């Protein structure tokens, strides 16, 4: 199944924006929902459901790097830049790819293949979490993380700063306070 991807473009060079739009229109599953010449203009649109941000690193005013920190909820980000020396830095702020200018169709296509792979893996992870995540709790023991089926838990035993999880198979001692994710109820 091909994921529908909603994209935002930010580049202060009009020609580069048009080239990006032209390349993106070749992909049926990518929709350009917004295109801006500055990061400041894009800020009000951060509440839209955006899946992909393509931005220039060096913009007038707020840089693309600063904007990415604000747009951390957007799952995929591709930076475009004529400054290859920034490549190492952008990967420190949750970046899928870095394309140097001038943009070429071959390099852009390669980046889109990485994007599609990213969303394919993301979708598999979400399916896996949907199948297992609701019926399991995650336990960290001796540096290893494993899952315990909720229905296998007989009872929990409080021991001062520890919690013992008793199942039919084994007793697990959990160090620290027993916590679960805020989105998940134990029983």
């Amino acid at each position: 199944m091909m994921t529908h991807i909603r994209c935002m473009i930010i580049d202060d060079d009009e020609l580069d924006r048009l080239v990006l739009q032209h390349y993106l229109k070749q992909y049926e599953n990518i929709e350009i929902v917004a295109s801006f010449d500055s990061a400041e203009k894009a800020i009000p649109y951060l509440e839209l459901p955006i899946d992909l941000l393509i931005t220039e690193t060096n913009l007038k005013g707020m840089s693309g790097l600063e904007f990415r920190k604000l747009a951390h909820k957007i799952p995929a980000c591709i930076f475009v830049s004529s400054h290859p020396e920034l490549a190492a830095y952008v990967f420190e702020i949750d970046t899928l790819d870095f394309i140097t200018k001038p943009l070429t169709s071959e390099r852009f296509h390669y980046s889109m293949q990485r994007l599609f792979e990213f969303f394919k893996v993301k979708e598999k992870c979400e399916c896996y979490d949907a199948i297992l995540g609701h019926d399991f709790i995650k336990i960290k023991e001796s540096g290893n993380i494993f899952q315990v089926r909720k229905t296998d838990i007989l009872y929990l035993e409080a021991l001062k700063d520890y919690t013992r999880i008793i199942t039919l198979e084994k007793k697990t001692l959990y160090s620290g306070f027993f916590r679960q994710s805020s989105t998940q109820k134990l029983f």
Side-chain angles (χ1 to χ4, degrees):
M1 182 175 121
M2 193 71 96
T3 303
H4 180 77
I5 299 169
R6 293 168 305 271
C7 177
M8 175 188 288
I9 300 170
I10 307 172
D11 197 319
D12 52 8
D13 184 296
E14 185 177 4
L15 184 57
D16 287 335
R17 269 195 328 277
L18 290 172
V19 168
L20 286 168
Q21 290 170 9
H22 171 74
Y23 287 159
L24 286 167
K25 287 180 182 176
Q26 297 173 27
Y27 299 93
E28 293 177 7
N29 62 324
I30 298 179
E31 173 190 3
I32 302 168
V33 294
S35 183
F36 302 100
D37 61 1
S38 75
E40 289 85 1
K41 290 179 183 176
I43 291 173
Y45 294 85
L46 283 175
E47 296 305 314
L48 289 177
I50 306 288
D51 305 303
L52 170 63
L53 170 64
I54 300 177
T55 183
E56 163 66 57
T57 54
N58 291 337
L59 298 166
K60 296 175 184 88
M62 177 187 288
S63 75
L65 304 168
E66 293 168 325
F67 183 79
R68 176 59 178 152
K69 291 175 186 175
L70 291 177
H72 58 86
K73 290 182 182 177
I74 298 175
C77 178
I78 298 171
F79 280 100
V80 293
S81 180
S82 54
H83 301 279
E85 66 275 6
L86 294 174
Y89 178 72
V90 301
F91 286 103
E92 293 175 8
I93 56 171
D94 198 17
T95 301
L96 181 67
D97 204 358
F98 181 90
I99 305 172
T100 55
K101 291 181 178 181
L103 300 169
T104 65
S105 62
E106 295 82 17
R107 180 60 179 90
F108 190 82
H109 177 70
Y110 171 76
S111 188
M112 292 300 100
Q113 294 312 308
R114 291 187 70 188
L115 175 74
F116 298 145
E117 251 335 281
F118 168 80
F119 278 108
K120 189 186 303 180
V121 170
K122 185 176 182 293
E123 189 174 301
K124 286 180 182 178
C125 289
E126 288 169 355
C127 288
Y128 179 78
D129 285 346
I131 291 169
L132 297 179
H134 298 293
D135 295 321
F136 287 77
I137 60 171
K138 293 178 180 150
I139 307 294
K140 184 174 183 180
E141 181 182 41
S142 303
N144 297 318
I145 297 175
F146 62 96
Q147 294 188 15
V148 175
R149 190 183 317 267
K150 290 179 188 178
T151 55
D152 289 348
I153 297 173
L154 299 175
Y155 62 93
L156 304 174
E157 185 179 351
L159 304 169
K160 197 170 179 169
D161 291 334
Y162 298 89
T163 301
R164 182 175 289 156
I165 301 172
I166 312 299
T167 66
L168 289 174
E169 294 180 13
K170 71 184 229 176
K171 295 178 182 180
T172 303
L173 192 61
Y174 178 75
S175 170
F177 299 102
F178 186 75
R179 290 184 213 122
Q180 64 186 51
S181 73
S182 60
T183 60
Q184 183 182 57
K185 293 184 178 176
L186 186 56
F187 297 101

